[in-house]
Amino acid sequence: MELTHVIGERRSIRKFREDSIPDKTINELLNAARLAPSGSNLQPTRFVVVKSPSVRAELGACTPCKFITRAPVIFVCCADRRSLSTRDKRVGELVEAGAFNDIDMDPTDSKTYGNTQMNDSAVRAYLSMNAAIAIEHMVLRAVDFGLGSCWIGMFDRKKVRQILDIDNDIHIVTLLPVGYPDQSPPQRPRVPLDRLVLKTV
Ligand SMILES: Cc1cc2nc3c(=O)[nH]c(=O)nc-3n(C[C@H](O)[C@H](O)[C@H](O)COP(=O)(O)O)c2cc1C
């Protein structure tokens, strides 16, 4: 599907048909996430793939958005804090792969501009930013498969952590129910294009 069409047709879908999603398609969605860019190529995004109806029901009890239980798959989208300690290795791989060959860039300056000393909330923000890109890759790829999804930010992270037995090094970013849409909503309101530009200099 044309990218412009995918971007234009995507909606947050809150009503799903019961049809299950083939495993091959689930893997394609995960692969779309895998291909996302990330700071220093840390690739911190991780997922718990929830297909079990009983676990979906348990997740439904963690959010006011009860509709998630009717999606055949809920991706619990996370980021692994431990990925931050792999920075040197990941940057080494980039160097090895030639990412900076013949590029006007001073790698010795990265300590000045890099996020080397982050407090806990800065770490969460940084990881969430990276995970968000991967998650939106999945969201758009899902449209390509005729699937719908909805970002869920309103949920009790402690409860989800407990239900899925997720360790404390994993930051839970969002829930993403995915399924075949049982609704075709019109485009939701957006601010006009000129509101996006603060200034052009
Ligand atoms: C970070 C984030 C968190 C969101 N959290 C929720 C949520 O908890 N429940 C919900 O129903 N929709 C949620 N949404 C969906 C938004 O309400 C939706 O994207 C917005 O209203 C625009 O509609 P559209 O996605 O159909 O264009 C969230 C979206 C984002 C990006």
Side-chain angles (χ1 to χ4, degrees), residues 111-165:
K111 286 225 160 45
T112 315
Y113 297 103
N115 300 316
T116 45
Q117 296 298 322
M118 290 188 283
N119 64 24
D120 191 57
S121 67
V123 165
R124 269 185 277 126
Y126 183 71
L127 290 174
S128 299
M129 174 170 68
N130 282 287
I133 300 166
I135 297 161
E136 191 61 12
H137 267 210
M138 285 178 104
V139 165
L140 294 177
R141 188 74 170 109
V143 175
D144 212 14
F145 283 110
L147 291 161
S149 66
C150 185
W151 282 72
I152 302 294
M154 280 189 292
F155 66 96
D156 185 328
R157 281 164 178 76
K158 267 193 195 153
K159 275 195 194 165
V160 170
R161 184 181 296 288
Q162 222 165 26
I163 290 165
L164 298 174
D165 192 22

Side-chain angles (χ1 to χ4, degrees), residues 10-14 63 65 67 150-155 174 186 188-190:
R10 184 213 56 79
R11 303 281 183 275
S12 289
I13 294 299
R14 299 182 177 91
T63 172
C65 306
F67 62 85
C150 185
W151 282 72
I152 302 294
M154 280 189 292
F155 66 96
T174 194
R188 271 66 189 243
R190 288 296 192 267

